[in-house]
């Protein structure tokens, strides 16, 4: 079994770099999450934090997934992602 946090569906990719922006699905103030069979997972996703001209100094590799509210899905990370997520 695996714990999975759910993110918004893809919409139109960013016109500058072609990546899809996603954010956590929140219901009643809580992140939507599920425990699912590992056999239901086809691959992991490489998330790039979305921020303005400068990344917040308080973000670290340990807390950025909790601190950042939206991300870009890196479809260029490998061939499988490029073909599957485009």
């Amino acid at each position: 079994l695996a714990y999975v946090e759910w993110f918004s569906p893809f919409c139109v990719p960013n016109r500058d770099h072609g990546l899809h922006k996603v954010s956590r699905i929140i219901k009643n103030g809580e992140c939507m999450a599920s425990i699912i069979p590992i056999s239901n997972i086809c691959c992991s996703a490489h998330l790039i934090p979305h921020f303005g001209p400068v990344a917040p100094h308080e973000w670290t590799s340990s807390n950025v997934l909790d601190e950042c509210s939206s991300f870009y899905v890196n479809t260029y990370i490998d061939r499988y992602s490029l073909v599957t997520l485009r």
Side-chain angles (χ1 to χ4, degrees):
L1 297 175
Y3 172 82
V4 176
E5 290 186 10
W6 297 107
F7 285 77
S8 59
F10 288 173
C11 40
V12 178
N14 180 286
R15 65 184 170 108
D16 295 324
H17 46 64
L19 300 180
H20 295 278
K21 188 175 175 183
V22 296
S23 56
R24 281 185 188 80
I25 297 176
I26 308 289
K27 263 194 177 172
N28 300 324
E30 299 285 327
C31 292
M32 289 285 297
S34 300
I35 297 184
I36 63 170
I38 291 177
S39 59
N40 289 2
I41 299 172
C42 64
C43 66
S44 61
H46 183 242
L47 300 176
I48 302 169
H50 175 248
F51 51 88
V54 178
H57 294 287
E58 61 273 9
W59 286 1
T60 67
S61 59
S62 298
N63 71 10
V64 69
L65 290 173
D66 295 321
E67 298 295 324
C68 185
S69 60
S70 60
F71 301 87
Y72 287 108
V73 179
N74 185 1
T75 54
Y76 302 112
I77 190 74
D78 58 35
R79 176 184 243 167
Y80 182 81
S81 296
L82 183 63
V83 172
T84 306
L85 300 175
R86 286 242 130 204

